[in-house]
Amino acid sequence: MILLWYILIPAVAAPVAWLLGRSRPALARWTAVAGTTAPLVILAGQWITKASALQATFAARGPGPAGLVAGSWIADVKATWIGSLGISFFLAADGLTIIMLLLTFALGLLAVLASWRGITKNVGVFHLMILWTVAGLAGVFLSLDLFLFYFFFEMMLIPMYFLIAVWGHEKRVYAAIKFFIFTQVSGLLMLVAIVALVVIHGRETGVYTFDFTQLLGTQMAASTAFILMLGFFFAFAVKLPAWPLHTWLPDAHTEAPTAGSVLLAGVLIKIGAYGMLRFMVPLFPDAVHDFRTVALVLAVIGIIYGAVMAYGQSDMKRLVAYTSVSHMGFVLLGVFAWNTLALQGVILQLVCHALSTGALFIMVGGLQDRIHTRDMGRMGGLWQVAPRMGGTAMFFAMASLGLPGLGNFVAEFLILVGVWQVSHWAAVLGAVGLVFATVYALWMMQRAFQGEETHGWSFADLTKREVGMFGAMIAALVLLGFWPQPLITTARQTVTGLQEMTAASSLAQPRPTAEAGDPAAEAAAAPADDASGATSLADDEGAQQ
Amino acid sequence: MASVSLDHALVLAAILFAIGFAGLLTRRNLIVVLACIEIMLNAGGLAFVAAGARWGQADGQVMFLFVLAMAAAEVAVGLAIAIRFRQSLKSLDVDDADEMKG
Amino acid sequence: MLGLLWLIPALPAAGFLALVLLNRRLDRTAAAWIGAGSVGLSALVALLVCGSFIVSPPAGDAYHQVLWTWMDVAGFAPNIGFYLDAVSVLWVLVITFVGFLIHLYSTEHMEHDEGFTRFFMYLNLFVASMLVLVLADNLLLLYLGWEGVGLCSYLLISFWQKDPQNVYCGRKAFIVTRVGDTALIAGLFLLFTQVHTLEIQPMLAAAQESFVPGSAVAVAAALLILGGAIGKSAQVPLQTWLPDAMAGPSPVSALIHAATMVTAGVYLIARTNVLFTLAPDARLIVAIVGTVTLLLAGFSALVQHDLKRALAYSTISQIGYMFLALGVSGWEAGVFHFMTHAFFKALLFLAAGVIIEALADEHDIFKMGGLRRELPAVFWTFTIGAAALAALPFVTDGFYSKDLIIATSLGSVDGNLWFYAGAIVGAFVTTLYSFRLVWLVFFGERHTEVSRRPRRRQLVPLWILAVLSVVSGLIWMPPWLAGFHPFETFLDTALPPIEFTGEYAHFAESALGALVTISVVVVGIGIAWLLWMPWRRGTHAFSESPAVRPLAAYWLGGWGFDWVYERVFVIPVKWFARVARNDLVDHVVDGIAWLNVAAWRTLSAGQTGRLRAYVAVAGFGIALVLAVVVLR
């Protein structure tokens, strides 16, 4: 039952925050802090105590998919919801869930802290919306019933819509509607796919159920599977966002209040990756394999396009928003590479991107609170005014460009190594994306913080609250950069389980990384005289094995 | 006495309906429009009565009673609208009421 | 004693952390003590560790220390671990000692700078990263150090960040080197996929075993690594960032852009020499890159006005020599030249820093002159450095290392006359530009007043480096001079020895071969004296003549590489970023929205709000339906 608390605590804290906020805004803030900290603490406890136990249950799991499913969960809650349609209230948690929930509550807390000063209008309702978003996100990550998943997937949009539309910046209504339409339309496609899947499964077996674990391995024609997969893909690709479905993101992230941007960039868009990992690929592995080349192309375009777009912006927040497009391209690459290295990289990337981009959004929000502009043309030389802020921004800019020693590098490296096994050019182009990342990150630093201060700005450097927030994020990123093992271990069961689910499909690795292919044979097979074509030759060798 | 055939009655009903419809299209005074609707309703009623008589069934008369009741209700509502209309628009011209245009 | 190895990079890293955390609470003295002290301690530890390594070498002539497993994913398990062998011993000693001297110098040189603490913060981080780079036991950790030094290079070039030009130079350095890093990281992917480990020694052993010499895989791996090395070591075609990197403070130029970081490429290639041995094609390319670079940069150095830019081009040129040595399988010669170059080039930059400081930030050598009497200590040390750079025979370390490279370029199995000719011409040009600087800066009339004189903490490092620039070459004397070569014996434990087995090996190894080098240098000094000795004004006309001027301008701009890159890469990307600023894809989305609006406008035009029109249309419609029903 512990899983239910993760949804209930923020969901119940929300109206409390609203009621208290009507008379005392500070109380609403503290309620929101409590409403995110409490599940975070419970979760941390569960992580520490249960994660190792999971390894044991996973190792002792029964044979076949049923055993795999049973052995994967730390805890689950199952109750009939709408029995006649086979819809159940099915929550379950494994390593990946724990990581996503940690992210949700931690960033929920950061979102509350980041709007401590900036939000003064309707404080109670604001925190109601934040807490409901957090509750909806927790529900998304916990649901294993597809209908329940869809329910939370859509439910969480509503508070987020209001966060953008009410507390946002200049073009907030436009951005909110755009965000809503994009996610809603793509979500409906997913709903159609879900219902079709349930009906196909029902016709085949006579059991109509939305339970993901039972729907796994449903037999259907390849073309049907491909279409249904596309339904899921659209929903998650919009969320992620993948090029060319990304255009809602710069608007929504830019116009949202800081807390909204943090939640959007930190957790909301991660649903796209999570959904692909958890549902799309295991349900339709062969279709995903057929779609791989297209997805890799989209991912690579997203990486480079997002980075070049970021470079072209003058609105600092919009710049940061476009970096998300670029970074999520790596996630898409990793998901479609679908090997252990890439998947671990994807999960790490979800965490590290949430921290680094979340921090940059908080930074821009802090700047806007101080100088009331996000236009980098009106900044410059701010390092002189606020050196601590400059140093912190430099740190997160470096995280953004994937500097080794920070978690983002580990994540991106693992993804690219994994992708290299599948497609050499995608890995190389992804690495080229890191050069463009350098271009935009340094350009942002120069325009905002370096150079001569000519606009006469004068404001307070980071406050203690901000130093605390950024300090925690910096520490987390450095820790993940030098010792990412705790997360890797936590996610290991999930990654192994996911790959076992798809083991029978064409997506399974033709060449497992743990076993050496015979490099000598490869090297001998490759013509020695053609040095310039060496990479592509090696490429072909790899593909044939 | 030469009996009035069904055809005569139906032609009369059609003429009445056409007159009412023409009035509806051409007149802009709300009261006249209401009157025109009355004429069209009564044209329908006439057709019912004539048809009932032709086949010796009471249904035609019954339907006419319904039409009468409906016409009365319609006039009541219609006149109430007309009063509100005049109060808010200071006229009875139906063309003035075009706030719903796209 | 060897167990203390981890302390060597940890101490500067701790210094960095202390400076970051205590930043505001430190006064200049405390910051200087932490900054220079941590590197000094690190140098002491390095002396202990390396001393014990040299005196009693561990088994296998290498010491491996694993701190913890970095990550462990599906058989990919790189360590945070350090590996010490003869090559890393050399690099560690040079980094910590030259690093410490430069820190010491900086406490004086940067005394009045407002970012004093920040400067030492970056410098400490640099030393720590550089040490990680050379001590790393696997390529991923090496890459960490590799990018770390790149970051510090960026931060320090743009250290005086109020001037956007400095920041631009810093960005350029970072971005251009990252282009090379992309190749390097692709090399990591390739190597890991082929041999399933990135730990350098097992990886090399596996490659040795499984790669067929000259095979496409081996060549590809070597070339990708070379790509990284070219970027970091500023070789053609990625050399353009280094001259601009001179925007940073002089100690930075000395430490990062002369002595240590830019030689990381040399280290990397020497470290992975097994791969290059397996890939003759790649080796040939290394040698060609080196030769082309040493010539191009040498000629550019000849015409510079800015003292530091001239030195920067000479650095590129000297690293070209090291690449040439590596390319002809003279691994040890390249490493030897790295060491001597680190001493004399650091010396030259530090001396240049004093001169520039003394002349109130004057960089132009034509506005200097006559400083021989004003700054005698600097004159002597700079001249020693320039002589070493020019390879003045017998009395400078540069002679021993450069002569070895020249001999190798001819006598090694990969050597040939082309490389030899390039190296000889390069040596001649080097002599010219070295003594051009000496004559122009220290002789003739004084053009600018000396406003500040160096003090002890600046002069001590200068003298120490000057002494090293004289004596450090003596540890590897050529066979025709003396049989004293302990350095070669030491390097043999980690690198393949140089084999003089080529066609001209006999000549190259002999005193006769050395005589060629010696005469080139002597003649070069003489010509430099004729051309630039300030009282010989006649030659000024030569350099201003219409035949020479355009060529000089072309060389001054670095052979037009920047010009081409600007047009091929920078402008198109900027153009696209500007044109597509509002997101081209969004136009499609807007297009869909526009279609909807257009449809709405069209349809709503029918909604006139006129009751009578509605009635007419409805009547018409009913009539139409009835007509269809009845007449059908």
Side-chain angles (χ1 to χ4, degrees), chain A residues 276-543:
Chain A
M276 287 187 189
L277 290 177
R278 178 73 89 208
F279 298 116
M280 184 184 83
V281 185
L283 286 173
F284 314 104
D286 291 308
V288 166
H289 181 259
D290 295 341
F291 193 60
R292 177 184 270 170
T293 312
V294 178
L296 293 184
V297 170
L298 293 184
V300 165
I301 295 180
I303 291 173
I304 293 177
Y305 186 84
V308 175
M309 281 296 107
Y311 172 70
Q313 302 307 314
S314 58
D315 182 331
M316 194 167 170
K317 204 168 179 185
R318 216 174 161 80
L319 188 155
V320 178
Y322 270 110
T323 68
S324 287
V325 178
S326 184
H327 287 134
M328 288 300 111
F330 284 100
V331 169
L332 191 61
L333 270 187
V335 168
F336 276 83
W338 202 255
N339 51 39
T340 311
L341 287 164
L343 289 180
Q344 288 283 11
V346 166
I347 294 170
L348 265 174
Q349 174 81 337
L350 296 185
V351 176
C352 297
H353 171 262
L355 291 173
S356 63
T357 308
L360 282 173
F361 275 124
I362 296 177
M363 176 69 66
V364 181
L367 264 180
Q368 186 167 22
D369 287 347
R370 288 170 169 83
I371 61 177
H372 307 288
T373 181
R374 303 187 304 269
D375 183 0
M376 288 188 291
R378 298 188 55 210
M379 299 182 189
L382 296 183
W383 196 303
Q384 289 157 256
V385 185
R388 254 187 278 174
M389 201 174 220
T392 314
M394 181 64 86
F395 177 90
F396 289 110
M398 290 305 134
S400 198
L401 62 78
L403 190 81
L406 307 178
N408 305 57
F409 168 73
V410 178
E412 279 156 15
F413 183 82
L414 286 178
I415 290 176
L416 291 177
V417 163
V419 172
W420 177 274
Q421 330 263 340
V422 175
S423 160
H424 293 201
W425 61 262
V428 168
L429 288 177
V432 169
L434 291 177
V435 176
F436 286 100
T438 317
V439 173
Y440 69 65
L442 300 189
W443 183 229
M444 177 187 83
M445 284 310 295
Q446 169 155 15
R447 291 228 279 172
F449 290 99
Q450 295 163 326
E452 184 78 56
E453 209 289 298
T454 53
H455 293 89
W457 297 119
S458 161
F459 52 82
D461 207 342
L462 296 181
T463 62
K464 283 205 173 109
R465 174 176 54 86
E466 287 169 317
V467 169
M469 283 194 295
F470 289 132
M473 290 160 117
I474 289 174
L477 281 177
V478 173
L479 188 68
L480 287 173
F482 283 98
W483 195 50
Q485 204 55 40
L487 279 191
I488 292 176
T489 313
T490 307
R492 186 168 284 155
Q493 273 74 38
T494 308
V495 170
T496 318
L498 288 175
Q499 288 188 292
E500 281 187 33
M501 286 176 195
T502 59
S505 72
S506 50
L507 198 59
Q509 277 289 298
R511 185 176 54 168
T513 49
E515 287 168 24
D518 188 2
E522 271 175 38
D529 52 351
D530 187 1
S532 61
T535 320
S536 59
L537 285 169
D539 202 335
D540 296 338
E541 291 296 310

Side-chain angles (χ1 to χ4, degrees), chain B residues 30-43:
Chain B
L30 185 56
I31 305 292
V32 179
V33 168
L34 280 176
C36 290
I37 293 173
E38 286 300 306
I39 293 173
M40 287 161 71
L41 277 175
N42 282 310

